[in-house]
Amino acid sequence: MSWSEYLLLGRLIFFLLLLTLFVLWTNKVRGAMHLPGYCALLASLLMLVIAQSLHMYARHDPSSYYQTMPLGLFTLAVLLLLLSFMDLIWLSHKRARQKLGADSQREWLRDVYEKIPAAVFVEKQGRVEYGNSAFVSLQARFERQNPFEDCVQAQQEIWLSTEKGERFAYWVAQFPMLGQEGCAYIISDITAIKLQRDFIAKVSSDLYHHGEKTLKDILNSIHELLPTSLIYVARKEADEKKYVYLHHMGGKTDVNVFDDLYLNHSLSDKKNHWHWLTTKALGEFSQDSFIAQYSPQQIGAISLCDEVGGELGIILVLQPQSQKVNQLLKSFLSIFSLHVRFEFEHFQSKKRLQKSHDRYRSFVARSNEAIMDIDILPGINMEHSFEHQWQHLLNKANISEYNPAFSHIFNLHGGLEMKELLAIKSIKHVMKYILQSGYGSEAIEVAHEDNEAQLRWINCSVMADTQDGKVLSLRLIIRDITHSKMHIQNLEYQNSHDLLTSLPNRLALRDTVDEKIEQALQFGFKMALLLIDLDRFKEVNDTLGHHYGDVLLKKIAPRITPLLTPYRAFFARLGGDEFAVVMPSFQSDIETHALAKNILKKLREPFDLGQLTVEIGASVGISQYPKDGQDTSALLRCADVAMYRAKKHSNSILDYSQEMDENSPRRLALMAAMGRGITERQFFLHYQPKLTLSDNAIRGAEALIRWQHPDMGLVNPAEFIPMAELSDVIIPMTQWVIEEALLQVKEWLKKQQYVKVSVNVSTRNLLDENLWSFIAEKLQQYEVPAYLFELEITESALMSDPERALDTLNKISDLGVSISVDDFGTGFSSLVYLRQLPIDALKIDIMFVRNMCANEQDEMIVKSIINMAKNLSLTVVAEGAEDAQTLEKLKDMDCDQVQGFYISKPVAADDFFDFCESWQQE
Ligand code: C2E
Ligand code: MG
Ligand code: MG
């Protein structure tokens, strides 16, 4: 082929290509070839253009290079063109095959679309291209070609109405059709679900917004959803294996399937969920039961359980035909079962609450305690001032209720206002206290005057309900404690008072002394404690009997109390015949003694005991604060020591002093030194003459011991003899005195001085079996005739153990030694005993003799003792004659002997001798 023919062919191909491109373009077959196909076509075109251009150029420059180049390019372009055409053909063949497959698939889909319940249709450019039969019926229902033309979203729910006004809900899903203008639609009828959901939402919203629904409402709702079913609800009784029928809904039957249904097992173990009843559970019902005509698949159940799994009850849904219960319904039933459950729980807690409320109400109503509730609105701010809070209480508080006991205690009739309540004195007091104490809950006791002006005692506690620093309510609990208070007061009185005399007792005395010490300390007072011991009371009691003793004791307080008023003194009975007076303050001992003297004077006045009149005396011991002790015990002990001492002297008043105290350091030192004193010859004797009145001669002397202590000087026997009597020292001491006295008698005898010496012996000496033999031995040793020796035994020593004394005294008396009763008159000796004892003389006590000129009574006593002694043929000695008048009187009374300072004080042996010499000469 020539070059020009090639060129022509090339041009032809070029146009062919252009034509192909045009066809492709006009038919818009963009996907007619693969991308490499299009590229090969373009490359072929490009090469043809280049080959043409080179060819044009080669005409003017016919070199070999430019001659061959267009041909090569042209060949390559043809090849590329062929390739692109091959791609075109292969692709179109493939498309044809695919189209055939798609057509058969569409047929199959059409078949499916016809069968599914959903409506399906395809819409293109506003026209329904295809619709399945379900869609066709929808078209018929709504009499529209496309009832869903308004749907614009990919998925949406739509409500449509028919001409008749029926409304239907549809779910519409839209799918754009690939490569085509138009969409496919799938439509589901969701009217039923929608209605159910709306219904549930509405009921739930009602429940949420309008509070509780009753069980009946809930069942109604379930029934609306399952209109053909019968719904039963039963409550499981707590702690009982029994379902109690509550309600049923639906059907016309009144049959209660739960009648007498006692179960060993629960009907369901699926808690709070919908499920079909098991055959086993159905078997729990009797064969005759109405429920037996249902199969398990027809009985839906929801067991209602509380949070801990305890069964509250059950809902049974009986359905005539096995109705499909969709998931929504199941959830719905479960939700409603929740409400029923709450209803049950609510019912149970309401029942419990009601029960406890009823119990509380009955407790409050029947309570003996007065209970009142006060509401305060708005609450009282606890940080406000007391005044502010009080006003708030008055104006903003309201009495919500109070029980019958409250009405009773406060004698209320009808309503009560806050102001009236706070006007009641006791309540006012309590409330003020509560407010001031920051609403503390401690109970307080207050006096309350009732309507009849009777004093009562009430115990009040107030409980405040506070929130955020505000008191919102108050509860008053008040108890009438009058009886217990009285009882306690009675007990306290009994505890602190002596029942016989109604005087405060020892316990009360201690309390009072405690209190007065405190006051004395605070104000710098001196305080005194007087202990009074009645003299001769024991005799009254023993001889006249306890009745008279009691009568006498009862008469003490009325006599003494008036004396105490000016001193604001306190009077108490310590027991027996012991009394005490507390003087809260005094200036000097003159005051305490004046009071003590007045008391003694009053007590000495005769007591009229009915048929009898008796006379007694008393001894008073006084201790002082702060001189004698710092506390009650010390003061009581000191007063006791002083009183004991005073008692020895009878009818006397003694202030406490350390010397008289057994436990004082001086006393302890003396006690320790006494034994050594005997061996170291620190003791000596003084002799006091006894004057025989008949011939005015000194025929006797009393040996009285003296102690010259190396450090403490001369110690009085009244101080150390009682101490010696407490220990065995009294034995060697008496022996020393006896020996010393007998030695002295012997000395005097040598000088022709006949003096009968008397020696004092103590109780302990009388119990010493060696006393008798000792005296006998010493009489013999010193060759002293027994008639010049005498023993003086105090009346009290004789009376303490007369039986034993009798034995010793008989033996001594048999020796020829005289026995004299010392201090006679103080001990009220029984004459019966005295007559049994070998007694030669009586020594009338100093107490009577000393005052006999001034005191008629004492004179009478002295006179009667002398008479009695004469009658008993006893020598009678009066000791304590301090003046001539007394001596004269004693002479007149026919007293045998007199001893006293008037004649002579006790003197040393030598002085005694001189005295006797001079006396005789007179
Ligand atoms: P008492 O046996 O009753 O002795 C009489 C006391 O009265 C003596 O005191 C004597 O000094 C005192 N008295 C005598 N006449 C008068 C007077 O006119 N006026 C006053 N105011 N007092 C007078 P004294 O010596 O202090 O003895 C006191 C007591 O000590 C004695 O009382 C006696 O119970 C006891 N006592 C003395 N010596 C002994 C003793 O050797 N052995 C024992 N066991 N007791 C003794
Ligand atoms: Mg004597
Ligand atoms: Mg005497």
Side-chain angles (χ1 to χ4, degrees):
M1 197 185 302
S2 68
W3 173 247
S4 52
E5 285 168 344
Y6 274 121
L7 201 64
L8 188 67
L9 187 65
R11 281 179 189 150
L12 188 69
I13 292 168
F14 179 74
F15 285 116
L16 265 174
L17 275 170
L18 280 177
L19 187 70
T20 310
L21 282 174
F22 176 77
V23 171
L24 286 174
W25 180 254
T26 52
N27 285 305
K28 298 178 186 171
V29 188
R30 291 182 191 90
M33 278 186 287
H34 291 101
L35 185 66
Y38 282 113
C39 293
L41 190 67
L42 280 173
S44 158
L45 188 64
L46 191 68
M47 279 178 201
L48 278 174
V49 172
I50 297 167
Q52 184 64 28
S53 308
L54 286 173
H55 175 67
M56 300 274 279
Y57 182 73
R59 266 200 235 168
H60 305 287
D61 183 12
S63 68
S64 60
Y65 179 75
Y66 293 109
Q67 287 296 323
T68 53
M69 185 99 146
L71 187 64
L73 280 174
F74 180 75
T75 313
L76 200 61
V78 172
L79 278 172
L80 283 172
L81 189 66
L82 279 172
L83 271 175
S84 68
F85 266 101
M86 272 169 71
D87 184 43
L88 181 74
I89 291 158
W90 179 74
L91 204 62
S92 59
H93 177 73
K94 190 180 158 192
R95 289 235 169 87
R97 256 196 6 238
Q98 276 177 350
K99 190 171 175 285
L100 198 69
D103 283 347
S104 69
Q105 207 172 3
R106 202 171 293 132
E107 278 306 310
W108 175 78
L109 270 175
R110 257 170 217 267
D111 194 37
V112 171
Y113 292 157
E114 286 307 315
K115 283 174 185 157
I116 60 170
V120 178
F121 73 95
V122 178
E123 175 250 20
K124 264 186 193 169
Q125 293 168 348
R127 279 184 48 243
V128 176
E129 291 261 306
Y130 163 76
N132 67 357
S133 50
F135 178 73
V136 174
S137 56
L138 286 183
Q139 283 176 316
R141 180 181 284 174
F142 297 105
E143 297 172 4
R144 280 162 69 184
Q145 202 246 342
N146 183 3
F148 305 100
E149 59 198 351
D150 299 333
C151 290
V152 284
Q153 291 166 18
Q155 288 182 18
Q156 79 177 87
E157 286 179 6
I158 185 168
W159 279 98
L160 295 176
S161 302
T162 62
E163 283 290 305
K164 290 174 192 161
E166 285 176 299
R167 277 167 58 78
F168 294 92
Y170 298 99
W171 175 79
V172 182
Q174 207 181 91
F175 308 97
M177 289 186 62
L178 199 72
Q180 296 175 46
E181 282 184 16
C183 278
Y185 290 83
I186 299 176
I187 291 126
S188 297
D189 187 344
I190 53 165
T191 314
I193 294 170
K194 197 80 179 137
L195 282 173
Q196 281 176 2
R197 209 166 14 175
D198 286 355
F199 177 78
I200 293 166
K202 185 181 169 303
V203 178
S204 300
S205 147
D206 280 359
L207 279 171
Y208 182 78
H209 292 292
H210 308 298
E212 300 167 8
K213 277 225 152 203
T214 64
L215 184 61
K216 241 178 177 168
D217 294 335
I218 293 165
L219 291 187
N220 254 330
S221 307
I222 298 176
H223 193 249
E224 268 187 54
L225 283 172
L226 296 167
T228 55
S229 57
L230 249 164
I231 302 152
Y232 283 93
V233 180
R235 193 176 59 242
K236 186 90 178 269
E237 280 294 277
D239 306 327
E240 273 185 45
K241 294 173 176 180
K242 187 185 175 187
Y243 288 95
V244 178
Y245 162 80
L246 285 184
H247 278 299
H248 82 273
M249 192 61 65
K252 284 183 184 117
T253 178
D254 290 333
V255 178
N256 166 20
V257 293
F258 291 101
D259 254 352
D260 300 324
L261 188 63
Y262 288 88
L263 301 174
N264 288 322
H265 306 284
S266 174
L267 283 177
S268 160
D269 48 9
K270 288 189 179 163
K271 292 164 185 173
N272 299 324
H273 286 291
W274 167 269
H275 61 278
W276 297 112
L277 207 67
T278 61
T279 319
K280 186 183 161 202
L282 190 60
E284 294 280 351
F285 294 90
S286 88
Q287 288 299 311
D288 312 330
S289 169
F290 165 75
I291 206 166
Q293 57 186 276
Y294 289 84
S295 70
Q297 288 73 33
Q298 289 178 310
I299 307 171
I302 301 178
S303 165
L304 308 167
C305 297
D306 60 20
E307 276 171 8
V308 286
E311 195 178 8
L312 298 164
I314 196 160
I315 302 175
L316 293 181
V317 181
L318 277 53
Q319 303 186 99
Q321 309 99 22
S322 276
Q323 187 182 326
K324 274 188 186 165
V325 177
N326 63 26
Q327 197 53 46
L328 186 73
L329 252 175
K330 284 179 188 172
S331 320
F332 169 76
L333 288 169
S334 296
I335 290 167
F336 274 84
S337 76
L338 260 181
H339 289 289
V340 179
R341 199 182 105 191
F342 292 150
E343 175 82 1
F344 281 10
E345 281 180 335
H346 181 64
F347 173 82
Q348 280 195 356
S349 56
K350 231 164 79 179
K351 209 166 133 183
R352 274 198 296 270
L353 204 73
Q354 186 64 41
K355 207 168 164 184
S356 79
H357 189 69
D358 289 350
R359 211 179 293 147
Y360 171 73
R361 295 234 60 81
S362 104
F363 162 76
V364 168
R366 280 195 243 149
S367 171
N368 290 331
E369 291 181 333
I371 300 171
M372 173 180 268
D373 286 331
I374 296 168
D375 293 335
I376 309 160
L377 204 76
I380 296 178
N381 191 329
M382 291 164 81
E383 284 177 5
H384 283 166
S385 68
F386 166 75
E387 272 310 318
H388 199 284
Q389 291 191 45
W390 183 254
Q391 284 307 320
H392 194 116
L393 191 68
L394 266 171
N395 300 320
K396 304 286 180 198
N398 278 309
I399 297 166
S400 65
E401 60 177 323
Y402 54 90
N403 67 351
F406 202 98
S407 314
H408 178 72
I409 293 180
F410 295 97
N411 199 32
L412 305 174
H413 305 286
L416 181 70
E417 289 295 319
M418 201 60 201
K419 284 193 172 99
E420 294 169 281
L421 176 77
L422 293 180
I424 301 172
K425 265 189 196 166
S426 50
I427 298 281
K428 186 177 180 177
H429 178 80
V430 171
M431 290 304 232
K432 285 196 167 178
Y433 176 83
I434 292 299
L435 258 65
Q436 273 158 344
S437 67
Y439 302 89
S441 59
E442 69 184 282
I444 56 167
E445 289 180 5
V446 281
H448 169 69
E449 205 173 87
D450 69 11
N451 272 19
E452 286 145 20
Q454 289 272 326
L455 183 78
R456 304 196 71 80
W457 281 93
I458 52 172
N459 174 299
C460 309
S461 37
V462 179
M463 285 182 284
D465 176 23
T466 56
Q467 206 178 8
D468 303 330
K470 288 192 170 171
V471 181
L472 303 176
S473 69
L474 292 171
R475 168 166 294 177
L476 268 73
I477 300 174
I478 296 170
R479 249 182 322 133
D480 186 342
I481 52 162
T482 313
H483 287 299
S484 56
K485 190 85 179 172
M486 292 291 179
H487 185 63
I488 289 167
Q489 278 176 352
N490 245 346
L491 283 179
E492 277 174 0
Y493 182 85
Q494 281 174 23
N495 220 20
S496 62
H497 282 76
D498 166 52
L499 293 182
L500 180 70
T501 60
S502 299
L503 281 170
N505 63 10
R506 186 180 282 272
L507 209 72
L509 175 83
R510 291 194 79 97
D511 288 348
T512 309
V513 177
D514 282 348
E515 184 190 317
K516 299 301 174 197
I517 285 176
E518 241 175 68
Q519 289 174 3
L521 177 71
Q522 193 179 353
F523 301 108
F525 293 157
K526 285 201 282 185
M527 186 211 110
L529 174 65
L530 286 71
L531 278 198
I532 305 160
D533 192 280
L534 303 184
D535 294 335
R536 297 194 285 275
F537 173 75
K538 191 172 178 298
E539 284 72 27
V540 173
N541 226 8
D542 289 352
T543 49
L544 303 177
H546 289 283
H547 168 71
Y548 286 99
D550 288 353
V551 175
L552 174 67
L553 287 172
K554 282 189 196 169
K555 289 187 177 253
I556 304 283
R559 273 196 194 184
I560 305 302
T561 317
L563 303 175
L564 307 178
T565 322
Y567 302 95
R568 291 180 295 112
F570 174 85
F571 191 41
R573 182 188 173 202
L574 303 187
D577 56 355
E578 254 184 47
F579 293 85
V581 171
V582 183
M583 277 178 90
S585 68
F586 68 95
Q587 297 289 328
S588 72
D589 294 359
I590 299 168
E591 274 179 82
T592 56
H593 277 254
L595 176 61
K597 270 180 196 158
N598 283 338
I599 291 171
L600 287 193
K601 201 173 148 201
K602 273 281 170 200
L603 291 175
R604 274 194 211 123
E605 287 172 12
F607 282 90
D608 182 6
L609 304 183
Q611 297 100 327
L612 286 162
T613 302
V614 293
E615 287 182 28
I616 55 162
S619 307
V620 181
I622 304 171
S623 65
Q624 300 177 8
Y625 171 86
K627 181 173 78 71
D628 300 329
Q630 300 297 312
D631 58 45
T632 305
S633 299
L635 288 181
L636 271 168
R637 199 182 63 77
C638 293
D640 200 54
V641 169
M643 195 268 290
Y644 179 73
R645 274 311 175 93
K647 189 116 192 101
K648 289 215 156 178
H649 299 283
S650 192
N651 257 327
S652 58
I653 299 159
L654 275 184
D655 282 302
Y656 170 81
S657 71
Q658 271 209 1
E659 292 74 52
M660 62 175 67
D661 197 335
E662 287 177 14
N663 297 321
S664 71
R666 175 184 164 86
R667 230 184 114 81
L668 295 172
L670 288 177
M671 287 273 273
M674 245 185 304
R676 213 173 55 232
I678 298 168
T679 51
E680 291 181 3
R681 301 197 65 82
Q682 291 168 7
F683 291 95
F684 60 95
L685 292 180
H686 270 182
Y687 299 90
Q688 189 177 29
K690 288 177 186 173
L691 176 69
T692 307
L693 291 175
S694 57
D695 56 1
N696 200 34
I698 306 293
R699 293 186 195 283
E702 182 176 4
L704 295 158
I705 195 167
R706 299 291 178 259
W707 184 10
Q708 187 63 47
H709 191 279
D711 304 322
M712 294 186 228
L714 192 66
V715 187
N716 199 307
E719 187 179 0
F720 67 83
I721 291 293
M723 289 195 270
E725 282 174 342
L726 286 174
S727 68
D728 286 339
V729 178
I730 194 69
I731 307 288
M733 189 179 278
T734 305
Q735 287 177 351
W736 178 83
V737 174
I738 292 170
E739 193 164 358
E740 186 70 17
L742 287 174
L743 195 69
Q744 192 56 58
V745 174
K746 191 188 173 183
E747 288 297 312
W748 285 331
L749 278 175
K750 282 182 195 164
K751 296 179 189 173
Q752 303 299 310
Q753 183 80 46
Y754 293 86
V755 178
K756 186 175 187 172
V757 176
S758 56
V759 165
N760 293 286
V761 289
S762 306
T763 318
R764 226 172 239 259
N765 297 124
L766 290 181
L767 305 176
D768 176 18
E769 287 169 354
N770 299 323
L771 181 67
W772 159 78
S773 54
F774 183 82
I775 293 170
E777 187 195 321
K778 292 301 164 187
L779 283 172
Q780 211 178 6
Q781 186 183 342
Y782 298 110
E783 297 166 332
V784 173
Y787 69 88
L788 286 184
F789 191 64
E790 188 178 48
L791 291 187
E792 286 191 16
I793 304 149
T794 58
E795 202 185 352
S796 53
L798 272 175
M799 300 313 294
S800 68
D801 192 352
E803 307 283 313
R804 284 185 74 175
L806 183 66
D807 187 44
T808 314
L809 291 178
N810 276 335
K811 284 182 184 165
I812 293 168
S813 181
D814 288 348
L815 293 172
V817 173
S818 308
I819 290 161
S820 170
V821 179
D822 204 354
D823 302 344
F824 188 80
T826 54
F828 272 78
S829 316
S830 161
L831 284 174
V832 183
Y833 281 122
L834 277 183
R835 284 182 64 188
Q836 287 173 8
L837 293 168
I839 291 162
D840 302 289
L842 291 181
K843 285 183 82 176
I844 306 169
D845 193 75
I846 278 181
M847 186 177 76
F848 304 111
V849 179
R850 201 166 47 191
N851 295 322
M852 61 181 274
C853 292
N855 189 321
E856 267 182 44
Q857 267 189 338
D858 288 354
E859 190 185 334
M860 284 295 293
I861 290 168
V862 172
K863 206 174 188 175
S864 44
I865 293 174
I866 293 169
N867 286 338
M868 190 189 70
K870 291 280 162 188
N871 287 337
L872 292 168
S873 306
L874 297 171
T875 304
V876 60
V877 183
E879 58 176 335
E882 292 182 344
D883 50 47
Q885 203 189 348
T886 309
L887 190 65
E888 281 310 309
K889 269 206 170 166
L890 288 166
K891 257 185 205 170
D892 292 347
M893 288 175 183
D894 207 11
C895 183
D896 294 320
Q897 289 187 335
V898 177
Q899 181 186 343
F901 288 176
Y902 181 66
I903 297 146
S904 168
K905 284 196 171 183
V907 290
D910 291 346
D911 294 340
F912 180 80
F913 183 79
D914 295 344
F915 174 80
C916 288
E917 291 283 291
S918 62
W919 187 268
Q920 272 169 13
Q921 283 166 16
E922 278 178 23

